[in-house]
């Protein structure tokens, strides 16, 4: 263990970036008035065209002002319930149910192009070819425009409802369930890269020509519901009611693709995170020579630490297994003593998606020698010696030998057999497995046990998620719960993230892989493979836990969205 002795830690770094506090007219969130659920985007001239599936509106939108004009004012019934949108020259294309339609941008009178055996979700057109996506079919079908002949089919990159757009030789796909945008080769369907969107439920995408001609703006639309508190004046006893309303908007997606290191970053945010303990003992106890350790945020591909400072009391800093830890020392912690102490960090956080494939890991170098004793053993009550967990470990992978396929099969096997529920305490994996219900921490325990029994080095990561309210800037936000996930190790490459339970959203699958080798912007990575918080003392006979001594306070403040990196190229 390495120790430094600075009292208040400030990390030298580059100048702090200026967030997009005053939104540029060409990179702002677009909120067209009168839109309820945008289910498709396209570009016509210098305007965005959006399809509102609830009202049936085709809206011409000025992204600089939110001004929206209904283009099909006498044809809205034909577009109610429609999805997907594409514009090619003077024709406009969309889908409804199993049908794909085309119409002129002059009269918007739909003509049937083709009827599919399954419901259609997205449409894209490029010269003489028409691309049609269907979640139920599981393919993107490519047709010759004049003859309507099926040329070929490409497998869908995700498992959700997907919309399409084309730029040159690239086929772009946004998947609502995967919360992901994919860039594919238009001819072969080979994936170039994929990127997480900063918001849930992406429903359309289009490349808008930038006024400065430097690069196009990739706009992505989103549609869903949001809860809100309604003041009902007719209910005198309880006027405040929880209800839901439609929420739809358009936001630019920033992409930074790092081909050499096999990952892609998306929209970033400047966040201030605070973690503090308030001494409030349940019982009177006096402790001498107490050291209280709290892990600090970690520097990663997607997370930069710009500044760390103390809260309340000064701390020194240690490195524990390569992780930064704040150490607060108390010569004597008196029975009636009250203190607030902790740290505050300024972070840059972005979404990240890694792009390793099973073919990339068919042949791997040996794992570091010390990893066997650190990441393949039962070091945290993982019940790896119990018959039920050992049997589950064998059944999870079957005869699979590829590392990526093994860990994904383990994840899916766990998802098939567990359901998420918040539990009062963490039980061991054998108990959780037999119960069939678990919290995020219990999912992690089961995943660790099954993976380690199958020779996959893995570790726990956490500890908190910023509330995913990307547009609430300069407002203190408090997470409801702590959160943990895992990282697994690929020899020759490094550690890759895998969420614990958030992708367990479909009964018996198929499950999305949005957070398999990926993390959204709102995760705060703290203490990889080490305890988040511990305390040690030389007192003999003192047996007290952190929870009996203190109450924690966690706060996030989103200071703004980060401007796109100069290295982004679209």
């Amino acid at each position: 263990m390495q120790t430094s002795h600075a009292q208040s830690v400030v990390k030298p770094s580059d100048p702090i970036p200026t967030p997009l506090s005053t939104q540029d007219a060409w990179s702002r969130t677009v909120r067209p008035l009168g839109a309820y659920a945008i289910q498709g985007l396209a570009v016509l001239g210098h305007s965005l065209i959006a399809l509102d599936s609830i009202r049936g509106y085709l809206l011409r939108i000025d992204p600089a002002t939110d001004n929206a004009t209904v283009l099909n004012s006498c044809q809205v019934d034909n577009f109610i319930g429609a999805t997907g949108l594409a514009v090619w020259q003077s024709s406009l294309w969309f889908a409804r149910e199993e049908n794909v339609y085309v119409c002129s941008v002059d009269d918007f009178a739909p003509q049937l192009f083709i009827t599919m055996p399954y419901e259609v979700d997205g449409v894209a057109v490029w010269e003489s070819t028409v691309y049609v996506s269907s979640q139920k079919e599981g393919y993107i079908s490519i047709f010759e425009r004049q003859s309507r002949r099926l040329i070929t089919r490409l497998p869908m990159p995700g498992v959700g409802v997907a919309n399409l757009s084309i730029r040159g030789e690239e086929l772009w796909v946004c998947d609502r369930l995967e919360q992901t945008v994919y860039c594919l080769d238009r001819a072969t369907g080979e994936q170039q890269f994929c990127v997480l969107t900063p918001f849930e439920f992406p429903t359309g995408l289009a490349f808008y020509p930038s006024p400065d001609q430097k690069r196009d703006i990739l706009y992505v639309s989103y549609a869903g519901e949001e809860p809100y508190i309604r003041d009902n004046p007719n209910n005198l006893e309880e006027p405040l009611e929880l209800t839901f309303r439609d929420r739809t908007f358009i936001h630019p997606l920033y992409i930074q693709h790092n081909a050499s290191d096999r990952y892609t970053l998306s929209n970033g945010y400047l966040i201030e995170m605070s973690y503090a303990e308030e001494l409030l003992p349940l019982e009177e106890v006096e402790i001498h020579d107490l050291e209280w350790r709290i892990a600090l945020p970690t520097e990663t591909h997607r997370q930069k630490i710009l500044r760390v400072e103390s809260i309340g009391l000064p701390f020194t800093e240690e490195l524990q297994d390569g992780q930064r830890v704040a150490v607060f020392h108390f010569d004597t912690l008196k029975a009636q003593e009250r203190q607030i102490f902790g740290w505050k960090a300024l972070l840059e956080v972005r979404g990240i998606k890694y792009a390793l494939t099973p073919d990339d890991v068919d042949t791997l170098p040996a794992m570091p020698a010390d990893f066997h004793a650190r990441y393949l053993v039962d070091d945290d009550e993982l019940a790896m010696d119990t018959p039920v967990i050992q049997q589950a470990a064998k059944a999870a992978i079957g005869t699979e030998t590829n590392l990526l396929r093994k860990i994904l099969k383990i994840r899916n096997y766990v998802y098939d057999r567990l359901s998420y529920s918040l539990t009062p305490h963490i039980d061991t994996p054998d108990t959780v497995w037999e119960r069939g219900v678990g919290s995020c921490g219990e999912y992690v325990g089961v995943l660790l046990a099954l993976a380690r029994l199958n020779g996959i080095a893995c570790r726990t990561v956490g500890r908190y998620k910023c509330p995913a309210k990307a547009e609430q800037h300069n407002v203190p936000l408090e997470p409801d719960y702590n959160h943990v996930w895992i990282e697994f190790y690929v020899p020759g490459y490094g550690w890759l993230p895998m969420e614990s339970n958030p992708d367990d959203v479909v009964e018996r699958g198929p499950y999305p892989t949005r957070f398999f080798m990926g993390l959204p912007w709102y995760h705060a990575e703290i203490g990889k493979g080490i305890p988040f918080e511990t305390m040690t003392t030389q007192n003999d006979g003192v047996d007290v836990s952190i929870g009996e001594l203190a109450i924690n306070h966690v706060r996030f403040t989103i200071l703004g969205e980060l401007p796109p990196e100069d290295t982004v190229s679209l």
Side-chain angles (χ1 to χ4, degrees), residues 153-450:
R153 295 192 305 175
L154 307 174
M156 295 279 287
V159 300
V161 171
N163 224 318
L164 307 175
S165 185
I166 292 177
R167 189 186 66 163
E169 298 304 313
E170 301 165 345
L171 173 61
W172 290 72
V173 182
C174 73
D175 189 302
R176 178 181 174 88
L177 183 60
E178 297 277 6
Q179 196 179 327
T180 300
V181 167
Y182 303 87
C183 178
L184 311 179
D185 183 280
R186 185 166 62 86
T188 66
E190 181 182 356
Q191 184 173 306
Q192 309 298 311
F193 59 86
C194 64
V195 59
L196 289 171
T197 60
F199 304 96
E200 289 185 311
F201 312 132
T203 58
L205 71 170
F207 286 92
Y208 185 81
S210 175
D212 58 17
Q213 303 298 316
K214 290 183 179 180
R215 59 174 177 261
D216 295 341
I217 300 173
L218 175 54
Y219 278 114
V220 177
S221 62
Y222 302 85
E225 289 185 327
E226 64 178 358
Y228 75 103
I229 303 299
R230 176 176 178 264
D231 187 354
N232 183 356
N234 294 324
N235 189 340
L236 299 180
E237 294 184 358
E238 297 182 3
L240 300 181
E241 302 172 345
L242 175 64
T243 186
F244 292 84
R245 60 189 171 199
D246 294 310
R247 179 174 184 251
T248 193
F249 57 94
I250 303 166
H251 193 81
L253 179 63
Y254 303 135
I255 298 175
Q256 183 182 354
H257 179 50
N258 190 319
S260 60
D261 289 334
R262 309 296 298 276
Y263 68 85
T264 306
L265 300 175
S266 53
N267 299 49
Y269 296 86
L270 186 65
I271 290 179
E272 182 181 84
M273 178 185 177
S274 299
Y275 185 92
E277 292 287 1
E278 176 190 0
L279 283 180
L280 201 64
L282 296 177
E283 298 180 4
E284 292 190 4
V285 60
E286 185 170 297
I287 306 176
H288 301 282
D289 197 19
L290 171 66
E291 287 190 338
W292 196 307
R293 290 172 169 81
I294 308 174
L296 293 168
T298 305
E299 191 90 9
T300 70
H301 287 144
R302 58 165 291 276
Q303 179 171 282
K304 294 182 180 179
I305 316 303
L306 304 180
R307 185 172 64 233
V308 177
E309 58 191 59
S310 62
I311 293 175
L313 301 175
F315 64 79
T316 58
E317 185 177 329
E318 290 180 353
L319 283 178
Q320 182 177 338
D321 292 336
Q323 305 292 303
R324 300 173 64 189
V325 178
V327 183
F328 297 87
H329 184 80
F330 298 85
D331 292 330
T332 301
L333 187 61
K334 300 178 182 178
Q336 301 297 326
E337 186 171 353
R338 299 293 183 265
Q339 294 282 2
I340 295 176
F341 61 94
W343 50 257
K344 179 168 65 176
L346 188 63
L347 313 174
E348 281 186 38
V349 290
R350 289 178 168 84
I352 192 169
K353 189 70 177 179
Y354 291 90
L356 266 68
T357 68
D359 290 343
D360 297 326
V361 301
D362 266 340
T363 303
L364 294 173
M367 189 184 302
D370 63 329
F371 274 34
H372 291 267
R374 297 172 63 186
Y375 304 118
L376 291 178
V377 297
D378 187 344
D379 58 356
D380 192 21
E381 298 185 2
L382 298 179
M384 290 168 57
D385 58 347
T386 60
V388 64
I389 292 301
Q390 291 182 350
Q391 182 180 357
K394 292 179 181 179
I397 67 163
T399 59
E400 184 59 64
T401 58
N402 183 277
L403 188 150
L404 280 186
R405 291 195 185 100
K406 283 167 64 176
I407 190 68
L408 187 57
K409 289 188 72 171
I410 290 170
R411 188 203 73 156
N412 293 346
Y413 188 73
V414 171
Y415 284 4
D416 282 344
R417 286 154 180 81
L418 293 187
S419 298
Y420 176 78
S421 179
L422 190 65
T423 55
H425 61 273
I426 303 297
D427 282 319
T428 56
D430 54 334
T431 300
V432 175
W433 195 253
E434 293 174 347
R435 188 174 64 212
V437 174
S439 64
C440 65
E442 290 172 325
Y443 268 75
V444 162
V446 174
L447 290 168
L448 287 175
L450 301 192

Side-chain angles (χ1 to χ4, degrees), residues 508-520:
R508 304 296 292 183
Y511 304 106
T513 57
R514 55 182 176 163
F515 303 141
F516 177 72
M517 300 193 297
L519 286 178

Side-chain angles (χ1 to χ4, degrees), residues 451-529:
R452 290 182 175 186
L453 283 170
N454 281 293
I456 302 173
C458 49
R459 63 187 183 184
T460 304
V461 184
R463 171 95 170 181
Y464 288 94
K465 294 192 295 187
C466 174
K469 300 178 179 180
E471 294 169 292
Q472 292 193 19
H473 299 170
N474 301 304
V475 177
L477 304 171
E478 297 183 3
D480 294 322
Y481 313 103
N482 61 10
H483 183 63
V484 288
W485 57 98
I486 77 167
E487 286 184 339
F488 62 93
Y489 186 77
V490 178
Y493 184 82
W495 293 98
L496 295 175
M498 185 175 78
E499 258 289 17
S500 50
N501 62 282
D503 276 337
D504 189 3
V505 294
V506 181
E507 184 68 27
R508 304 296 292 183
Y511 304 106
T513 57
R514 55 182 176 163
F515 303 141
F516 177 72
M517 300 193 297
L519 286 178
W521 63 267
Y522 44 81
H523 281 54
E525 297 177 88
I526 307 171
K528 295 173 180 280

